[in-house]
Amino acid sequence: MLELKHVDKYYNSGTVNELCLFQDFCLQVEEGAFVSVVGSNGSGKTSLLNLICGSIDVDTGSILINGTDITKKKDFYRHRRIGRVFQDPAKGTCPSMTILENMSIADNKGRGYGLRRGCNRHKIAEYQELLQRLNLGLEDKMHTKVGSLSGGQRQTLALVMASLPPIEFLILDEHTAALDPKTAELVMELTDRIVKEKKVTTIMVTHNLRYAVEYGNRLLMMHQGKVIMDKGGEDKQSLKVEDILSTFNEISIECGN
């Protein structure tokens, strides 16, 4: 279980530009949940992910994973248990290294490094089998540098790499936003398969309301650092895109737009 307890987060604290994004913010995500997070720009979606991953620190409050307080833990420590895929396909892979080298690094995440080969040649067949399921032909390009791949291929590879080592949480930060519609559909299908097969707790921020409705078993809508909609179970299953749009329109009117 992931828990955020009474979290406060201010930007530009003590200046005329001070902004309170989260105040006494609380959230629980049950083990095995697939949570879609939607909301307008500036609502706190990506900041929420950054707090969980340790990219930014909380001002007050605590973050716990399965009862263990990780509030003061550095991001590299948290990433032993967390896999993350960013919006930019270039952030999840190393362009100057081959597919094999990238997958080997991902596979060894969290392990100590000694004087041994970085790439385990015995695992090439295993990696190829994983890539073959994508139907992108990447299994035949193990020695191709990742920088020569298309954005969609790189993002798909980044998703596979993020979930390659044993992880407890998968964090997806608008991971289909930079992709063409066909590739985005493929990446979402792969995402759903990974979540179900590995039973990994997943939080996905997205601006695609259809994906938010169709995938996952819980939906959160955020606005000004607060959760204003929380649908799970049967309520989530019966939710329609029009329902979310209606709430968005209400927020827009309240904000004077």
Side-chain angles (χ1 to χ4, degrees):
M1 176 188 289
L2 171 70
E3 297 177 274
L4 283 79
K5 294 185 174 182
H6 309 291
V7 168
D8 289 355
K9 180 60 187 178
Y10 290 81
Y11 288 110
N12 305 313
S13 183
T15 72
V16 294
N17 296 318
E18 181 175 290
L19 170 66
C20 176
L21 182 56
F22 295 110
Q23 187 173 37
D24 197 32
F25 182 83
C26 297
L27 178 67
Q28 285 189 354
V29 178
E30 299 294 330
E31 184 176 353
F34 183 175
V35 183
S36 299
V37 183
V38 299
S40 57
N41 292 331
S43 61
K45 304 184 302 299
T46 296
S47 291
L48 172 63
L49 301 187
N50 287 334
L51 287 172
I52 294 169
C53 293
S55 303
I56 58 176
D57 297 323
V58 303
D59 293 327
T60 60
S62 57
I63 301 174
L64 295 88
I65 292 181
N66 296 330
T68 301
D69 192 333
I70 63 167
T71 310
K72 302 299 182 181
K73 298 293 186 182
K74 297 297 184 181
D75 53 357
F76 66 85
Y77 173 87
R78 302 187 197 194
H79 280 221
R80 295 173 185 173
R81 310 170 78 172
I82 297 173
R84 185 172 186 177
V85 184
F86 297 86
Q87 176 179 341
D88 184 355
K91 286 187 176 181
T93 55
C94 181
S96 62
M97 301 177 74
T98 66
I99 291 178
L100 174 60
E101 290 167 339
N102 270 269
M103 294 188 74
S104 296
I105 289 176
D107 200 11
N108 284 285
K109 185 178 77 169
R111 301 177 185 176
Y113 286 89
L115 295 176
R116 64 176 186 272
R117 291 184 179 275
C119 296
N120 186 343
R121 299 289 170 175
H122 298 292
K123 301 204 74 172
I124 293 179
E126 180 183 327
Y127 297 155
Q128 287 178 314
E129 185 179 350
L130 282 173
L131 296 176
Q132 190 174 25
R133 299 174 65 186
L134 307 177
N135 295 317
L136 294 174
L138 295 180
E139 67 275 9
D140 298 322
K141 300 180 179 181
M142 297 301 293
H143 301 288
T144 300
K145 289 188 176 181
V146 171
S148 66
L149 302 179
S150 69
Q153 289 174 321
R154 289 182 68 171
Q155 192 70 324
T156 307
L157 179 62
L159 179 57
V160 171
M161 288 167 55
S163 59
L164 190 58
I167 55 173
E168 297 176 45
F169 294 91
L170 181 60
I171 302 296
L172 307 171
D173 189 1
E174 298 185 47
H175 69 311
T176 64
L179 307 178
D180 64 79
K182 182 179 179 180
T183 307
E185 293 289 342
L186 186 150
V187 169
M188 279 307 308
E189 290 172 5
L190 175 62
T191 300
D192 193 49
R193 189 168 72 211
I194 288 173
V195 172
K196 289 177 178 176
E197 289 180 355
K198 294 182 175 287
K199 297 180 173 60
V200 59
T201 306
T202 302
I203 303 177
M204 177 181 73
V205 165
T206 180
H207 281 297
N208 190 311
L209 300 185
R210 181 171 65 83
Y211 291 163
V213 168
E214 290 183 3
Y215 293 95
N217 52 23
R218 184 179 176 189
L219 183 143
L220 304 178
M221 180 184 288
M222 298 188 64
H223 179 60
Q224 296 180 348
K226 297 181 177 62
V227 175
I228 62 169
M229 178 188 289
D230 187 350
K231 300 288 186 180
E234 293 182 0
D235 289 340
K236 166 66 167 60
Q237 292 178 7
S238 62
L239 198 63
K240 295 180 173 58
V241 171
E242 291 76 15
D243 300 327
I244 306 178
L245 281 173
S246 176
T247 304
F248 264 122
N249 290 334
E250 291 176 12
I251 293 172
S252 182
I253 292 172
E254 289 176 4
C255 293
N257 297 324

